[in-house]
Amino acid sequence: MSRATGPTGTTAVTAVRFEHRRVGDGLGIGVAAPRLSWITETKVPGWWQAGYQVEVVDGRGEPVATPEPVESDESVLVPWPAEPLGSRERRRVRVRVWGSDGGASGWSEPAEVEAGLLVPADWSARFVAPDFADPAAGGGDDPPTARPSLLRCAFEVHEPVESARLYVTALGVYEVEINGTRVGDQVLAPGWTSYDHRLRVETFDVTGLLHPGANAIGAWLAEGWYGGKLGWDGGRRIYGHRLALLAQLELALADGTTQTVATGAGDRWRAHASPIVASGIYAGEDYDARREQPGWSRAGFDDRDWLPTTNVERDLGTLGARVGPPVRRTETLRPVAVTTSASGRAIVDFGQNLVGRVRVNAQGESGSTLTIRHAEVLEGGELCTAPLRGAAATDRFTLRGDGVETWEPRFTFHGFRYAEIEAQGFSAGAPGPDAIAAVACHSDMERTGWFSCSDERITQLHANIVWGMRGNFLDVPTDCPQRDERLGWTGDINVFAPTASFLYDCAGVLASWLADLAADQGDDGVVPLVVPNALEATFPAAVWGDAAVIVPWVIYQRFGDVGVLRDQWASMRAWVDHVVGLAGENRLWDEGFQFADWLDPSAPEDRPQQARTDPHLVATAALCHSLDVMAAAADVVGARPEGRADDAAHYRSIAAEVRAAFAREYVAPSGLLVSDSQTAYALALRYALLPEAEQRLRAGRRLAKLVRHAGHRIATGFVGTPIVCDALCGAGEAASAYELLVQEECPSWLYPVLHGATTVWERWDGIKPDGSLNGVRMNSFNHYALGAVGDWLHRTVGGLAPAAPGYRRLRIAPIPGGGLSSASSHHRTPYGPAESSWRIEDGSIALDALVPPNTTAEVVLPGAATGRDPIRVGSGRHAWRVPYPIASPGRPAPRGGLSRSAHRPRS
Ligand code: BGC
């Protein structure tokens, strides 16, 4: 390797990180050989990595390994270079790199990683449950809701504490306190996984919370997803009614000894009912501050009237570390208005549909209460809770009455923009707006993607897409966050994953979710409709089940993670093989119920699956796409399973048969399709289902014609909407795609925006043009699926797309239109920040690009002749200006601004 003798000063290695953990979050990792990634910052243009060296030292700074420099240009998810970590082992890692220019960086700042408890034998703790009467006793098949409780354990420490770790999880949701101080800032830990197979453990550094002498540890415990009923029509309890805590506190003491305080292992853990009287994910939380027990998590607290705990059996082999970030509070929003409704109720408007809860500061008499109800919309000026269906979404706070009390529910979340606050018993007046805030909560992923353009309406649509992701990435990627559902519907994330992967680093959240998908997948390969599986009945459904194949592929494409493909390979195969079996000899998936182009605006309101596109055309097209992905993925993972010479060839040949069957069944020689719909053409064009070039031309023209005939209003559902603009652009009909984008009439993307939407709606007409609420049962105002157009905005309007996995090669190829005079996409790729930004001025168009070090880009200048070779550039900033006589193809620039009216049908 050619390498310089010393650092150049212009090149530095930053952001050293492990697996899909954020920078600085290496504690309690669950893999023994965590892969490393880093970003090189350099002033050298066209910088390409020629090699790297990693130094690994142990917790005391003693070298563990300084492997030889590696001649490699890899800097994302590179293999762990030292001996695998044992449980609890800690390492500090530094990286330096050499560029192909011969220049070298200095060592990076050290990054720390520490393994959690990697094997069941590491646990001396056992799960403990409060020894209240077994809630199941006499309860028959339907035991009552488990009472939220407190658990505590007092213990002595005889030496100064050098370091301490808490390993903790629960059957239920928990928060821990040590000596009166909250441990960590996680919300709703341990999150929701397929608990029977995977339960996440958190590792906390609690060194600073312990001291020689008397200490105590305590935990709040409530049902959360584990013990609560999930799903509509009353839902069902999936996992169990018995809530339990598993905690192991390990102290390294100054005299070189260790001390362990553990649940269920001889230590004296006691339990008591908590001040949370009732708590449920859908129901909300009822908290009575008069029941608080001051000092309950401190030493010296008298717990003699607390009850004992009992051990609960549980397979510790199901325990594992968190893969992505935990849920946290990410933003606090103040009210933008407080109004009194016609019925005299105080309604707070936070100006944004968000997911989280309301925090109040209140002062009042003991026993006075605040009841907080939540909703996304108002109707007639009153809170409109009908769309929440069975979710009560009501919090109640009863005051102690001794000064200002701050309260926010712990173990619930709501999807809301409005909160109705009913105050009872406050003789000196209810809390005013200054005392109220909304706290947004979601998986604390790193924001990585931004988009803006000269049309304020489209920029607002994009902001709505971002909020839709924030609200629906609360540990599990869900359909919606407000009603009695909030489930990990597979179809929704299948279509939204590309958009999500641009906006936030969601690789960890999705990799974890995929592990649940595989865990909950049937032995026959059938993928549950929701993951974790909360439904009693499940069946194979195209696009929904295809999430098993497409989501890992998206993670590979966007984050460069081959490991996810390897980990998911068996699951991917099982699904596709199952569907190939269903398609049978004729290679068409032409039987059984399909959601297909769900929520096509022409479908009857109560039967969203009855779209204009033949559901089995959709199913067979989706199968073909999954087979193509399988073949490409098999090339990457090099799969050569037993009994098959080569997976790639196998899937490629079935894909060819399905394509031929599709063409026989659905395609006329002219290129017209038997389902003469936008979604059908979009699928056929995007998934290469039309064998002849002439047919593709004809289909492209037909698609544009259908779009025109529909008055440039949306005529597609969950399947067609994410791809219709791409299909149009691919057919040379970008102007039509822009016509769709800038349409304001219902149904369209901008229609909700102009009705004051701050998130993406589930239905195109969630609020009807006359301002009335669509009264159908299924009507969420925060569904990310139809926001999947975000991916097209990023790639085509802004013009920034990955051309090789992980953005190793970028494609910068904006297609201006829609009357826009400028647009930009900005993304923090795994290699560093990238940008594509254009503006039209004075008869020319200027394009600015930022290409991260260790990547290259292919650039297609706007207006360049089709078929011209792209310009290839290396890393650094680049700028071009080319003549561009047209203001911007498509419509004239937008009229007027945004109406920021609230969602207020019939107000
Ligand atoms: C969910 C959807 C989901 C669909 C499938 C709905 O209730 O909210 O987004 O994909 O059901 O049937």
Side-chain angles (χ1 to χ4, degrees):
M1 173 164 63
S2 90
R3 68 179 145 111
T5 45
T8 60
T10 53
T11 302
V13 175
T14 63
V16 176
R17 56 207 189 274
F18 305 94
E19 292 291 322
H20 292 300
R21 295 289 192 93
R22 292 182 69 155
V23 172
D25 181 22
L27 184 61
I29 206 148
V31 276
R35 294 168 298 169
L36 295 175
S37 306
W38 58 86
I39 287 175
T40 301
E41 287 176 4
T42 180
K43 297 194 184 99
V44 180
W47 192 87
W48 191 261
Q49 183 181 296
Y52 66 83
Q53 189 175 21
V54 181
E55 176 201 74
V56 186
V57 300
D58 69 13
R60 291 182 308 278
E62 298 295 323
V64 170
T66 307
E68 283 300 299
V70 183
E71 228 172 284
S72 161
D73 61 5
E74 295 302 324
S75 56
V76 172
L77 298 166
V78 305
W80 178 247
E83 282 297 303
L85 298 171
S87 295
R88 307 177 182 89
E89 272 183 349
R90 183 174 184 76
R91 298 287 180 261
R92 274 213 315 266
V93 171
R94 298 194 302 169
V95 179
R96 61 180 170 181
V97 296
W98 289 267
S100 54
D101 62 335
S105 75
W107 286 109
S108 67
E109 287 296 315
E112 303 204 332
V113 64
E114 182 181 308
L117 301 185
L118 300 178
V119 291
D122 294 325
W123 290 92
S124 53
R126 291 295 176 266
F127 281 89
V128 290
D131 202 7
F132 308 146
D134 183 343
D141 293 339
D142 193 13
T145 302
R147 177 77 197 270
S149 52
L150 299 173
L151 291 93
R152 63 170 260 119
C153 175
F155 55 97
E156 290 288 324
V157 176
H158 298 292
E159 285 284 323
V161 178
E162 300 247 294
S163 85
R165 296 288 181 269
L166 173 67
Y167 305 97
V168 59
T169 189
L171 304 175
V173 280
Y174 70 89
E175 282 184 12
V176 176
E177 296 179 12
I178 291 180
N179 293 326
T181 302
R182 167 83 205 272
V183 175
D185 54 2
Q186 275 81 341
V187 169
L188 288 157
W192 186 14
T193 45
S194 170
Y195 294 126
D196 293 341
H197 306 100
R198 302 178 65 238
L199 179 61
R200 292 196 203 110
V201 172
E202 193 62 59
T203 303
F204 293 105
D205 179 352
V206 292
T207 312
L209 299 181
L210 295 151
H211 47 73
N215 291 265
I217 177 170
W220 299 77
L221 186 61
E223 63 181 21
W225 297 277
Y226 181 86
K229 289 188 177 179
L230 298 170
W232 54 94
D233 292 338
R236 64 187 197 103
R237 184 174 285 116
I238 306 157
Y239 303 103
H241 61 271
R242 178 134 248 199
L243 310 184
L245 179 77
L246 179 78
Q248 185 161 309
L249 178 61
E250 298 185 358
L251 290 72
L253 302 175
D255 65 357
T257 61
T258 56
Q259 180 181 349
T260 302
V261 178
T263 49
D267 292 303
R268 185 178 164 276
W269 286 78
R270 313 277 289 175
H272 197 278
S274 87
I276 305 175
V277 180
S279 174
I281 297 280
Y282 299 161
E285 202 153 294
D286 185 350
Y287 185 89
D288 187 346
R290 294 169 306 178
R291 297 175 187 235
E292 286 173 356
Q293 305 196 42
W296 72 275
S297 64
R298 291 179 188 277
F301 176 82
D302 182 359
D303 61 13
R304 273 173 303 180
D305 67 338
W306 285 39
L307 292 166
T309 55
T310 40
N311 286 16
V312 172
E313 274 312 308
R314 163 88 193 189
D315 175 8
L316 300 182
T318 57
L319 301 178
R322 144 171 86 68
V323 179
V327 175
R328 290 199 173 95
R329 296 172 182 82
T330 61
E331 191 175 335
T332 302
L333 290 87
R334 294 276 160 199
V336 295
V338 180
T339 51
T340 305
S341 72
S343 66
R345 292 161 196 273
I347 295 185
V348 180
D349 176 3
F350 291 102
Q352 173 64 52
N353 194 3
L354 67 112
V355 175
R357 51 252 186 143
V358 170
R359 182 162 60 212
V360 289
N361 288 317
Q363 186 161 16
E365 287 85 340
S366 175
S368 51
T369 61
L370 290 172
T371 304
I372 308 169
R373 294 162 68 229
H374 305 77
E376 296 182 293
V377 290
L378 301 180
E379 195 171 26
E382 305 285 349
L383 210 66
C384 177
T385 56
L388 308 183
R389 300 192 308 217
T394 301
D395 298 332
R396 182 168 300 107
F397 175 41
T398 304
L399 279 71
R400 282 189 308 270
D402 58 359
V404 178
E405 296 170 52
T406 301
W407 181 74
E408 174 192 330
R410 273 188 175 74
F411 296 126
T412 190
F413 65 90
H414 311 293
F416 65 102
R417 169 173 170 169
Y418 301 95
E420 179 194 287
I421 307 207
E422 187 187 336
Q424 281 185 324
F426 288 81
S427 57
D434 291 352
I436 297 163
V439 182
C441 302
H442 53 83
S443 294
D444 191 15
M445 304 164 288
E446 186 194 346
R447 179 85 191 262
T448 52
W450 294 265
F451 168 87
S452 65
C453 69
S454 55
D455 188 331
E456 209 190 326
R457 303 165 307 170
I458 298 169
T459 303
Q460 179 65 42
L461 167 67
H462 191 264
N464 295 1
I465 293 169
V466 175
W467 271 103
M469 172 163 182
R470 293 178 68 176
N472 283 296
F473 268 68
L474 200 151
D475 207 42
V476 166
T478 53
D479 57 338
C480 57
Q482 71 300 82
R483 66 182 179 222
D484 51 1
E485 205 157 344
R486 317 184 196 188
L487 303 175
W489 281 96
T490 45
D492 302 44
I493 190 60
N494 182 353
V495 299
F496 191 68
T499 304
S501 304
F502 180 90
L503 297 175
Y504 282 89
D505 179 354
C506 55
V509 172
L510 293 181
S512 178
W513 181 81
L514 284 168
D516 289 326
L517 181 150
D520 282 351
Q521 200 168 357
D523 292 340
D524 55 0
V526 172
V527 173
L529 299 170
V530 301
V531 172
N533 189 10
L535 305 179
E536 220 150 357
T538 204
F539 53 86
V543 181
W544 273 248
D546 288 299
V549 173
I550 305 302
V551 177
W553 186 243
V554 171
I555 296 180
Y556 170 62
Q557 290 296 325
R558 303 303 175 103
F559 301 102
D561 187 356
V562 186
V564 168
L565 284 183
R566 293 210 175 95
D567 291 348
Q568 294 301 124
W569 188 245
S571 152
M572 295 164 74
R573 279 184 66 188
W575 164 254
V576 169
D577 290 353
H578 182 84
V579 179
V580 168
L582 292 177
E585 290 297 305
N586 72 359
R587 294 303 195 214
L588 293 169
W589 190 357
D590 54 3
E591 270 169 29
F593 176 90
Q594 296 291 349
F595 297 117
D597 202 18
W598 184 253
L599 281 170
D600 165 344
S602 72
E605 286 198 330
D606 56 343
R607 274 158 291 148
Q609 72 278 13
Q610 287 183 12
R612 67 194 98 195
T613 309
D614 179 343
H616 294 112
L617 179 152
V618 173
T620 303
L623 169 59
C624 200
H625 182 46
S626 279
L627 286 162
D628 286 346
V629 169
M630 288 301 289
D635 282 337
V636 177
V637 300
R640 296 197 189 286
E642 262 173 61
R644 252 182 221 170
D646 177 347
D647 261 355
H650 171 75
Y651 288 117
R652 218 157 258 138
S653 92
I654 305 179
E657 290 168 21
V658 173
R659 253 191 190 93
F662 184 95
R664 269 198 311 277
E665 185 84 355
Y666 297 114
V667 187
S670 65
L672 295 186
L673 298 171
V674 296
S675 257
D676 192 29
S677 70
Q678 294 184 29
T679 293
Y681 287 105
L683 284 168
L685 288 164
R686 289 296 289 163
Y687 299 160
L689 297 168
L690 303 167
E692 306 295 334
E694 277 302 315
Q695 291 178 319
R696 293 195 283 276
L697 277 176
R698 181 82 175 90
R701 284 202 304 273
R702 182 69 189 161
L703 173 60
K705 192 168 179 181
L706 290 176
V707 170
R708 225 168 24 250
H709 279 179
H712 298 110
R713 297 187 197 193
I714 292 285
T716 48
F718 268 35
V719 176
T721 305
I723 56 172
V724 65
C725 289
D726 273 312
L728 285 165
C729 289
E733 301 281 357
S736 285
Y738 273 104
E739 289 286 354
L740 275 177
L741 177 67
V742 299
Q743 173 63 254
E744 295 183 348
E745 303 295 327
C746 186
S748 69
W749 283 293
L750 291 188
Y751 167 78
V753 171
L754 294 166
H755 276 69
T758 57
T759 37
V760 174
W761 297 351
E762 176 175 30
R763 287 179 177 271
W764 298 108
D765 60 348
I767 293 170
K768 301 275 189 186
D770 67 3
S772 65
L773 185 87
N774 187 330
V776 74
R777 261 175 64 78
M778 197 186 81
N779 190 14
S780 136
F781 292 91
N782 195 356
H783 241 66
Y784 54 48
L786 297 176
V789 68
D791 189 45
W792 178 74
L793 294 177
H794 306 145
R795 286 184 291 101
T796 306
V797 180
L800 179 60
Y807 291 83
R808 193 70 203 268
R809 195 168 73 248
L810 277 58
R811 183 168 169 87
I812 294 178
I815 303 180
L820 303 186
S821 56
S822 66
S824 80
S825 291
H826 183 130
H827 181 58
R828 282 198 205 164
T829 74
Y831 298 91
E835 191 178 340
S836 164
S837 180
W838 57 267
R839 63 196 181 279
I840 298 172
E841 50 194 16
D842 308 331
S844 64
I845 187 164
L847 174 65
D848 293 326
L850 176 62
V851 180
N854 212 20
T855 71
T856 58
E858 51 187 52
V859 182
V860 181
L861 297 179
T866 335
R868 232 176 81 192
D869 280 346
I871 304 166
R872 297 190 188 276
V873 294
S875 68
R877 287 209 170 269
H878 304 273
W880 296 268
R881 182 178 283 276
V882 285
Y884 205 76
I886 344 161
S888 166
R891 276 200 173 178
R895 326 178 285 271
L898 275 177
S899 134
R900 294 209 178 261
S901 65
H903 306 161
R904 236 176 256 179
R906 292 204 198 110
S907 54

